[in-house]
Amino acid sequence: MKLMVTAGPTREPVDPVRFVSNRSSGKMGYAVAAAAQLRGHDVLLVSGPVAIKAPGGVELIMVETADQMQRAVMAGFNKVDALVMAAAVADWRPAVVHVQKQKKSSTSLTLPLEPVPDILAQLAGIKGSRLVVGFAAETENLLSEAQRKLSAKRLDMIVANDVTAPDAGFEVDTNRVVLVWPDGSSRELPCMPKTDVAEYIIDWLEENLPASAT
Ligand code: C5P
């Protein structure tokens, strides 16, 4: 199959030297890209800024902002059979980006933020037979939030993880996830290396892709 994977955080500029971002390390998305490549699939990896090395043999597009990630995903989407959206795309960004570095002052600073358009939600209407997998990193109500996002973004599967657990979520090498499907079924996986979670995701894609795409 041809698979697009997104990974890492996005950076939303405040001014030329500052940005708003999150704790995503990119490890989960990079593990999915590596697992798919090792199984002989064609992989396009769209990555935000991360400190890890891209797996060999994948096509890599580096981006910084959510806008750039959206453009890269839209440009690649019609060429792939499946998308795994593991990137922690910003939910808000500074409403105004200052051209000059903002000066330090003794008064407090308020930073107005505006919502970032949801990339997955925009793909819902054009996905056709492609399989689209999202992630839900939650700190409360894990399953209900994952179900809500699964249906709002019209996903085929969502990988939910409670990011409050010390051995799961951002930055660490292991993850503790629940796979959730649109029919309401779910499968809780024990804590395992992100590389093993990636194998489960690729297994599911291989089993559920239309025969023409395998
Ligand atoms: O931020 P949220 O919890 O809604 O993210 C869930 C899923 O939606 C993730 O797969 C993430 O990559 C995706 N997302 C997106 N565009 C955004 C925010 C999140 O596609 N602007």
Side-chain angles (χ1 to χ4, degrees):
M1 70 174 148
K2 288 191 184 3
L3 173 68
M4 177 155 51
V5 182
T6 68
T10 64
R11 283 181 181 172
E12 309 304 325
V14 173
D15 69 17
V17 301
R18 303 184 179 97
F19 55 79
V20 175
S21 191
N22 59 64
R23 292 184 180 280
S24 171
S25 64
K27 285 176 181 170
M28 190 62 250
Y30 276 50
V32 172
Q37 197 278 333
L38 279 173
R39 291 199 203 182
H41 300 296
D42 237 350
V43 181
L44 170 61
L45 174 59
V46 178
S47 175
V50 293
I52 55 177
K53 213 167 150 272
V58 310
E59 187 184 342
L60 177 67
I61 300 180
M62 295 299 299
V63 298
E64 288 233 343
T65 64
D67 249 359
Q68 291 167 1
M69 184 165 282
Q70 178 180 20
R71 268 183 259 128
V73 170
M74 291 296 180
F77 194 61
N78 64 357
K79 299 174 204 140
V80 299
D81 306 301
L83 166 66
V84 176
M85 192 84 195
V89 185
D91 290 324
W92 298 277
R93 64 185 164 210
V96 175
V97 181
H98 296 279
V99 179
Q100 303 297 340
K101 181 183 173 195
Q102 294 304 287
K103 298 290 177 205
K104 181 162 65 179
S105 79
S106 53
T107 55
S108 66
L109 174 75
T110 303
L111 198 61
L113 301 176
E114 64 179 18
V116 171
D118 195 286
I119 301 171
L120 282 176
Q122 290 178 3
L123 296 175
I126 57 166
K127 71 191 278 288
S129 61
R130 291 174 195 82
L131 292 179
V132 179
V133 176
F135 274 72
E138 307 296 340
T139 57
E140 57 185 350
N141 307 325
L142 179 67
L143 278 183
S144 60
E145 276 304 292
Q147 288 284 6
R148 188 182 62 74
K149 290 177 185 181
L150 181 80
S151 67
K153 302 177 196 231
R154 303 244 305 268
L155 304 175
D156 299 294
M157 180 170 83
I158 195 158
V159 183
N161 61 331
D162 179 347
V163 292
T164 61
D167 53 5
F170 294 138
E171 293 167 326
V172 295
D173 289 327
T174 51
N175 214 350
R176 195 182 277 279
V177 306
V178 186
L179 307 178
V180 184
W181 292 281
D183 65 359
S185 61
S186 62
R187 178 173 179 191
E188 185 172 352
L189 302 180
C191 182
M192 60 177 72
K194 286 180 176 173
T195 48
D196 290 353
V197 175
E199 300 292 345
Y200 276 93
I201 295 170
I202 304 299
D203 283 346
W204 183 83
L205 287 172
E206 287 179 348
E207 281 159 24
N208 289 276
L209 271 172
S212 58
T214 50

